[in-house]
Every structure is written in C-alpha cells, then in structure tokens.
C-alpha cells in the first residue's frame, strides 16, 4: 500500500487527478471506477482543467460509479447520476453510452444489480477505482458488518452514514435509507485503487484501514489484501498513522 500525504484537500484532488489522467494517457480506453461525495470534488475540477488544456480526453473512456441511492431517478437532483453530470460529465467529451451508474429507480433491483456487475465484466473490468471512505470505514456503501464476498447489491445505510449525508439534504428525513452499491468483491477486482480522505473525521477509519486487523466491522480494512492501493490523505486524515 502506498501512502501519499498532502497539505490540503486541493492538493489531494490534484494528485488524484494526476493518477487518473496518467491512466488515461497510458490507456485511452480505460475503465474508470468513480465515487461521489465531497471528497473527490477537487479531483473532478482538476480532470476538467486537464481536459480543457487538451492534456487528456475521454472519447474512449468508460466509467462505472460505485453506488446510487435506491428509489431515486436520474433526474432527481440528489441522485448520484445528477452529481456526476454536474461535477464532471457535462464538462468533458465522454460519450453518454460509456457512462454507467446503477439505476436506483429500476423496477427489479436485483436484476439491476446483476446487470451492472455483468456490464463491468463486459467492459473488461475496472482499471482504476477511486474511493472515498466513510467515518465508519465504509467504501462505496458497504457498511460495517460487511460481507467481503458481495458483488453489486442493495444495502441498508447506517445511521452514521445517513447523518453524514444529511448535509446535502434539507431535512434528514429526506436522506434515502437504502442504496445500490458495488460490493467489496467488485471493488477488490479493480486493477488499481486510489482512496482519498481528508479531514480529522476520517483519521480513525484511516488508522484502521492501514494498521487494524482485517475485519468486517471496518470494511476498508480489506484493502490491505489488494496488490495496488494508493492512499492520498491530507494531514488531518493521516494524523493517527
Ligand atoms: P464524503 O463521503 O466524500 O462526502 O466524505 C465519503 C464516503 O462516504 O465514502
């Protein structure tokens, strides 16, 4: 596991964008695994800048997002689809058909999970997966007491996750309590993983990820078994290491 410690969130975003853009330069038809939330926003800004500077393009790139709220359609401004369009996709040249996000409004959600998993395989697997981490150690929406063998599935969100995500909603009651998420197995199948974390609230989870025993109560601890993981941390997130 490589650990890169940076001074602040902006630097974290720039470093992460460098790794993602190098991947695209080396393999223009790369398959990217993408994350939402506050953490990767600076990375997306920098990727858009690199695209505008003509350093990279996304014509052949395919993307698979980690997760999506259940029961929310694409057009809902709280959906992760909406987030991705407004923080990245509308600013770059990725063809719409190359964008993959679980459909949280699918009638048959089990079938949707199977379809999503199959699409990842058909695309040749994920070359580089970007992850954030929850204060409870979740990756994607894989909450503590995780099944390390799970593929894309419907998950129930923990109270702490609902609390953390409520900053994006008017009231906490509006936060969905379930979501569709890539499973740990899906994430572990990615060829490379880049996990970003900033802020003191993530320090405990980062300590457990790096130094703890691998255990289902800290889902991110499984990353110790992945052969190509890079953590990019600000000083606060790294402060317990
Ligand atoms: P955040 O979420 O980027 O909004 O902190 C990270 C996560 O829950 O994985």
């Amino acid at each position: 596991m490589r650990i890169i410690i940076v001074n602040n969130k902006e630097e974290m975003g720039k470093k992460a964008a460098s790794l993602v853009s190098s991947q695209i330069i080396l393999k223009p038809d790369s398959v990217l695994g993408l994350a939402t939330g506050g953490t990767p926003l600076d990375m997306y800004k920098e990727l858009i800048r690199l695209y505008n500077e003509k350093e990279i393009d996304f014509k052949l790139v395919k993307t698979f997002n980690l997760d999506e709220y259940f029961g929310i359609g694409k057009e809902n401004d709280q959906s992760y689809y909406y987030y991705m369009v407004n923080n990245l996709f509308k600013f770059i040249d990725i063809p719409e058909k190359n964008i993959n996000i679980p459909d949280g409004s699918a009638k048959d959600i089990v079938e949707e999970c199977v379809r999503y998993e199959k699409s990842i395989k058909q695309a040749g697997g994920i070359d580089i997966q970007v992850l954030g981490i929850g204060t409870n150690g979740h990756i994607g929406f894989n909450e503590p007491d995780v099944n390390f063998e799970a593929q894309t599935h419907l998950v129930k969100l923990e109270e702490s996750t609902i609390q953390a995500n409520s900053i994006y909603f008017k009231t906490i009651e509006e936060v969905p309590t379930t979501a569709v998420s890539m499973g740990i197995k899906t994430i572990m199948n990615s060829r490379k993983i880049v996990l970003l974390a900033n802020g003191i609230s993530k320090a405990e989870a980062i300590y457990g990820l790096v130094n703890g025993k691998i255990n289902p109560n800290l889902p991110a601890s499984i990353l110790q078994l992945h052969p190509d993981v890079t953590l990019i941390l600000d000083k606060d997130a790294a402060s317990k290491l």
Side-chain angles (χ1 to χ4, degrees):
M1 189 177 290
R2 294 176 214 95
I3 302 180
I4 300 172
I5 299 175
V6 297
N7 288 311
N8 53 49
K9 193 169 176 296
E10 292 70 36
E11 243 181 72
M12 180 185 78
K14 285 207 165 123
K15 284 267 189 298
S18 298
L19 297 186
V20 172
S21 56
S22 306
Q23 170 67 41
I24 297 172
I25 290 166
L26 289 170
K27 184 179 176 222
D29 60 347
S30 285
V31 179
L32 310 180
L34 299 178
T36 51
T39 310
L41 284 173
D42 289 297
M43 178 189 80
Y44 293 137
K45 275 196 199 124
E46 179 65 7
L47 285 173
I48 294 165
R49 192 189 69 76
L50 291 167
Y51 167 73
N52 286 333
E53 297 289 323
K54 302 201 183 335
E55 299 280 338
I56 49 170
D57 70 69
F58 293 80
K59 276 197 272 305
L60 301 174
V61 166
K62 291 197 174 107
T63 62
F64 285 88
N65 266 74
L66 275 171
D67 44 24
E68 177 61 283
Y69 287 125
F70 177 62
I72 272 189
K74 275 178 169 183
E75 67 297 332
N76 188 311
D77 63 5
Q78 295 292 359
S79 72
Y80 287 161
Y81 185 91
Y82 188 94
Y83 168 109
M84 288 308 303
V85 168
N86 288 288
N87 289 301
L88 181 65
F89 296 147
K90 75 176 183 191
F91 300 105
I92 60 173
D93 63 347
I94 187 164
E96 201 175 342
K97 66 175 173 36
N98 290 4
I99 295 170
N100 298 275
I101 302 180
D103 179 2
S105 66
K107 286 222 170 59
D108 185 338
I109 206 69
V110 174
E111 189 182 283
E112 171 60 8
C113 293
V114 172
R115 184 201 65 78
Y116 198 67
E117 200 67 41
K118 217 187 255 170
S119 311
I120 296 173
K121 286 205 182 80
Q122 274 165 359
I126 293 168
D127 290 305
I128 187 165
Q129 174 68 56
V130 177
L131 296 176
I133 186 168
T135 53
N136 63 0
H138 75 201
I139 46 177
F141 270 136
N142 295 283
E143 302 285 36
D145 195 22
V146 77
N147 171 5
F148 286 139
E149 288 298 314
Q151 298 192 320
T152 302
H153 63 311
L154 189 65
V155 292
K156 195 172 163 350
L157 305 184
E158 267 210 340
E159 199 48 46
S160 66
T161 300
I162 294 171
Q163 281 284 348
N165 292 359
S166 68
I167 57 168
Y168 303 111
F169 292 79
K170 279 197 214 81
T171 64
I172 194 161
E173 288 73 31
E174 286 174 45
V175 185
T177 54
T178 46
V180 178
S181 178
M182 281 185 198
I184 294 288
K185 194 162 181 188
T186 324
I187 294 170
M188 290 294 280
N189 279 339
S190 313
R191 287 186 264 282
K192 287 191 193 119
I193 292 179
V194 179
L195 183 143
L196 316 181
N198 66 283
I200 197 74
S201 67
K202 304 289 172 73
E204 193 69 41
I206 291 296
Y207 176 84
L209 189 182
V210 176
N211 295 316
K213 279 215 176 90
I214 297 170
N215 81 91
N217 286 325
L218 194 91
S221 62
I222 194 72
L223 297 178
Q224 292 173 23
L225 295 183
H226 192 283
D228 192 339
V229 176
T230 304
L231 309 186
I232 308 179
L233 312 172
D234 79 345
K235 287 191 173 139
D236 285 340
S239 60
K240 293 209 156 109
L241 296 180

